[in-house]
Amino acid sequence: MVVLGTGRTVRLAVVNRFRPGRSVSTQAGLECIAPFFQTVEETPQPIPTKVTGIIPKWIRGSLLRNGPGRFEFGNDKFNHWFDGMALMHNFKIDNGSVTYMSKFLQSDSYTKNKKANRIVVSEFGTLEMSDPCKSAFDRFMSKFKIISTDNCSVNYVLYKGDYYVSTETNFMRKVDPETLETLEKVDWSKFIAVNGATAHPHYDPDGTVYNMGNSYGKDGTCYNIIRVPPQKSNEAETLEGAEVICSIKPEEKMKPAYYHSFGMSENYIVFVEQPLRLNLLKILLKRIQGKPFSEIMSWEPEQNTVFHVINKNTGKKHSATFHTKAFATFHQINAFEDQGCIVLDLCCQDDGRAVGLFQLENLRKSGDDLTKLLQQVATFYPRRFVLPLDDRVKDDVATQPLNYSTATAAKKGDGKIWCTHENLHDHTLDSCGLEFPQINYAKYNTKKYRFFYGCGFQHLVGDSLIKVDVETKKAKVWKEDGYYPSEPIFVPYPDAVDEDDGVILSAVLTPHQSKNIFLLVLDAKDFTEIARAEAPVRIPYGFHGTFIPQRT
């Protein structure tokens, strides 16, 4: 089903997307999206937008977005999309009107690069440029210095009532969500023994936050489950009381898995150890060779993907490990407990080499070159795994632990439990898949749910919005030619009864200079457009965001 705004037309290109090596059929090649990966100017003061339709007056608050916005300093250019300097966005909605503003995060990385007018802080895919004023010896020794960036361009996170922007290093930056002012820098390693944390924590209703972060030592790596308690009135420090409740050893101590998020049910954390590995032994070698951090990542499909289950209350790891064939994942959809099982829903792809393809020079290609690049990027699909926590699984017999899911589990001779997945989609997603998943988090996180939302990808960035019913597998789609929506954010009605009573907010971009970007408001139930608010600005394609209700 395709849902369109009144008087608008769309063209759904037929794209066959399977795995690297697939054929991609388009009428005239993929549309060039190079403007999404070019430096833009910030908009530090709120500007009005042009509203078409009627934005419900009960929607009062700010849609905050985060992502790269500056891709060079002087003559030095970043190599990878992930390296661009963080640009924060605020679409403020009040009384049926919308204003837009943006500011660059005043991180140490940003200010140092700007002062030097060149890249002096390393990022994921770009090493800092050697200072020509230093001696040859000093320039060589600088290759052994590991710098952890505070370019927090991935997401907004909430700890003890305060908002931060985050990436995947040991640094976060506190921000004012109203003005987008950059505040203090917070170092995780000053509170607990971790060398970073994900930008996708999970929240309990009482304000307790769970996250994951690695620690590196002489004995190798540990994956750590982190718990941050709610705010206490007499606390001065942001992460005061943070603790590691469980540490897990990797299957290979010097080749830990990369992870971007994790699953959480009411009582358990589920960590997905995937065969997208970080070869720690190569770090110094790559630095000497002038290669960035991204070069130590490798996809090893001969390895299994492993699910580790940890009790949130006791910190104890479940005695069983759950295994499945190799897949890569960045974002979990939801997890909940039912009938003695954990149901884990994820966006998965069968090939994990895509990260290395998102070099800026690739993303700025056009025509056939861009089409060939898309052929190498495996599609993400929503899948369900069921992890039985009791002894119902018999040896070498694949059973369906839950009668409403076709996902199976079987105990092998070595004691490992082998799992197969259930697809959470119908043919609608065959050509586009789904990523950037979101749910009605406030009411249905860790609970049995029915709907999730995401972006469809018939391009290298999201080019449609999708709503999926997990019971029927049916999907509803919003799509408009020449426009590329960001991650959909669900905002519930004040007196919502049904799970999908609310609206979807998405910042919709365009590479066309003659068109405006806009904030889209969809009815979450029937996926029809309610309104849009156009702004005469350019916005690069970003990552994640959140909606913050206006305080009354």
Side-chain angles (χ1 to χ4, degrees):
M1 176 179 180
V2 180
V3 182
L4 311 177
T6 303
R8 299 184 177 91
T9 60
V10 299
R11 171 182 54 81
L12 288 177
V14 178
V15 182
N16 297 316
R17 302 191 61 190
F18 299 102
R19 59 182 62 194
R22 62 180 177 263
S23 62
V24 177
S25 173
T26 60
Q27 294 180 354
L30 292 174
E31 180 173 51
C32 179
I33 53 172
F36 292 161
F37 310 100
Q38 304 288 349
T39 295
V40 299
E41 297 294 326
E42 62 183 3
T43 307
Q45 298 300 322
I47 61 172
T49 64
K50 178 185 177 182
V51 175
T52 303
I54 299 176
I55 297 177
K57 292 188 177 181
W58 63 263
I59 307 176
R60 300 176 70 241
S62 293
L63 175 68
L64 303 181
R65 295 279 303 152
N66 196 3
R70 180 166 178 170
F71 299 95
E72 67 282 315
F73 287 92
N75 294 322
D76 294 350
K77 302 181 186 302
F78 290 114
N79 297 324
H80 199 280
W81 179 25
F82 299 171
D83 300 341
M85 296 290 97
L87 180 63
M88 303 176 291
H89 312 264
N90 183 348
F91 291 89
K92 185 175 182 180
I93 308 171
D94 188 27
N95 197 32
S97 64
V98 179
T99 60
Y100 169 79
M101 67 180 297
S102 65
K103 288 183 181 179
F104 281 105
L105 179 70
Q106 299 298 304
S107 61
D108 290 349
S109 300
Y110 179 87
T111 55
K112 289 177 180 178
N113 290 337
K114 188 175 181 180
K115 182 178 181 180
N117 198 32
R118 60 187 182 86
I119 298 172
V120 296
V121 179
S122 293
E123 301 293 340
F124 172 77
T126 307
L127 280 182
E128 75 273 16
M129 306 302 174
S130 298
D131 187 345
C133 297
K134 290 184 177 180
S135 67
F137 176 77
D138 288 337
R139 291 197 298 272
F140 175 76
M141 291 304 295
S142 69
K143 295 181 181 293
F144 295 91
K145 182 172 62 175
I146 304 297
I147 299 176
S148 185
T149 180
D150 67 336
N151 177 36
C152 301
S153 63
V154 177
N155 202 4
Y156 289 84
V157 295
L158 179 65
Y159 291 98
K160 301 190 176 186
D162 293 322
Y163 283 92
Y164 300 81
V165 285
S166 178
T167 180
E168 297 182 333
T169 69
N170 55 308
F171 295 120
M172 298 188 298
R173 294 301 299 240
K174 186 177 179 180
V175 295
D176 184 325
E178 180 74 17
T179 66
L180 302 183
E181 180 184 359
T182 303
L183 304 175
E184 62 261 33
K185 182 167 70 171
V186 175
D187 185 347
W188 275 98
S189 65
K190 291 185 177 180
F191 297 90
I192 52 176
V194 296
N195 297 96
T198 81
H200 290 286
H202 277 296
Y203 307 94
D204 271 347
D206 68 353
T208 301
V209 185
Y210 291 86
N211 207 336
M212 287 194 62
N214 284 359
S215 56
Y216 306 104
K218 62 180 180 180
D219 297 324
T221 303
C222 280
Y223 311 118
N224 300 297
I225 312 298
I226 304 165
R227 179 166 59 205
V228 181
Q231 175 71 43
K232 294 180 180 178
S233 59
N234 59 348
E235 282 181 347
E237 295 288 353
T238 300
L239 299 177
E240 192 70 37
E243 59 179 333
V244 172
I245 63 171
C246 182
S247 294
I248 304 167
K249 291 288 186 181
E251 289 194 328
E252 296 182 69
K253 67 179 183 179
M254 296 307 291
K255 294 180 70 175
Y258 169 78
Y259 55 94
H260 185 73
S261 67
F262 59 97
M264 185 180 84
S265 67
E266 183 178 1
N267 295 291
Y268 297 94
I269 298 294
V270 183
F271 166 54
V272 183
E273 187 174 19
Q274 60 188 345
L276 182 57
R277 301 300 174 88
L278 306 176
N279 191 331
L280 303 182
L281 294 175
K282 289 185 177 180
I283 288 181
L284 287 181
L285 174 63
K286 292 296 182 181
R287 297 272 306 186
I288 293 173
Q289 294 174 338
K291 303 292 185 181
F293 180 85
S294 59
E295 292 288 324
I296 73 167
M297 298 181 70
S298 62
W299 171 241
E300 301 182 3
E302 68 277 6
Q303 305 294 328
N304 295 335
T305 294
V306 183
F307 303 102
H308 301 272
V309 176
I310 298 90
N311 189 301
K312 287 164 52 180
N313 304 308
T314 66
K316 292 184 178 179
K317 185 176 180 295
H318 195 275
S319 57
T321 54
F322 303 88
H323 298 246
T324 191
K325 67 177 184 179
F327 71 81
T329 183
F330 291 94
H331 300 110
Q332 66 95 35
I333 302 170
N334 198 11
F336 60 91
E337 298 158 37
D338 191 19
Q339 303 175 44
C341 300
I342 295 175
V343 180
L344 178 66
D345 296 345
L346 306 161
C347 291
C348 308
Q349 62 179 179
D350 293 325
D351 190 291
R353 292 175 290 183
V355 172
L357 299 174
F358 283 83
Q359 299 284 335
L360 287 168
E361 65 176 0
N362 286 337
L363 296 172
R364 292 166 179 166
K365 291 179 178 179
S366 60
D368 290 342
D369 289 337
L370 196 57
T371 301
K372 291 176 182 177
L373 178 63
L374 180 63
Q375 290 177 310
Q376 302 176 62
V377 180
T379 307
F380 278 96
Y381 292 109
R383 295 173 178 171
R384 169 166 289 180
F385 292 88
V386 177
L387 314 179
L389 300 179
D390 52 25
D391 59 357
R392 74 183 68 184
V393 179
K394 306 304 180 182
D395 291 349
D396 291 322
V397 178
T399 59
Q400 295 176 215
L402 295 175
N403 59 11
Y404 57 81
S405 174
T406 58
T408 69
K411 184 178 290 185
K412 298 299 182 181
D414 56 6
K416 297 176 180 178
I417 298 177
W418 185 262
C419 301
T420 66
H421 68 267
E422 172 191 7
N423 289 323
L424 290 181
H425 64 92
D426 67 2
H427 63 86
T428 308
L429 270 64
D430 287 349
S431 64
C432 63
L434 183 144
E435 245 293 351
F436 293 148
Q438 289 287 324
I439 63 170
N440 182 346
Y441 191 95
K443 288 191 175 181
Y444 287 89
N445 182 52
T446 76
K447 297 178 176 62
K448 192 174 183 179
Y449 73 114
R450 184 166 178 176
F451 303 108
F452 64 90
Y453 313 87
C455 288
F457 285 75
Q458 285 188 313
H459 207 302
L460 288 161
V461 298
D463 63 351
S464 63
L465 293 172
I466 299 174
K467 174 186 180 179
V468 177
D469 183 331
V470 298
E471 292 184 6
T472 67
K473 312 293 179 68
K474 300 297 183 183
K476 295 180 179 180
V477 181
W478 180 95
K479 183 180 177 73
E480 188 169 331
D481 258 356
Y483 288 96
Y484 299 82
S486 66
E487 170 190 61
I489 301 296
F490 180 87
V491 182
Y493 291 144
D495 300 315
V497 176
D498 295 336
E499 178 183 340
D500 56 351
D501 281 345
V503 299
I504 292 294
L505 301 180
S506 176
V508 181
L509 282 57
T510 179
H512 302 286
Q513 293 292 327
S514 60
K515 300 178 180 179
N516 289 332
I517 65 99
F518 58 89
L519 175 67
L520 176 67
V521 185
L522 293 180
D523 185 299
K525 188 174 290 289
D526 61 19
F527 234 49
T528 56
E529 180 173 336
I530 297 173
R532 61 176 64 185
E534 297 184 30
V537 294
R538 298 293 99 194
I539 298 179
Y541 201 84
F543 300 130
H544 299 289
T546 189
F547 179 78
I548 302 178
Q550 185 172 316
R551 295 178 181 175
T552 57

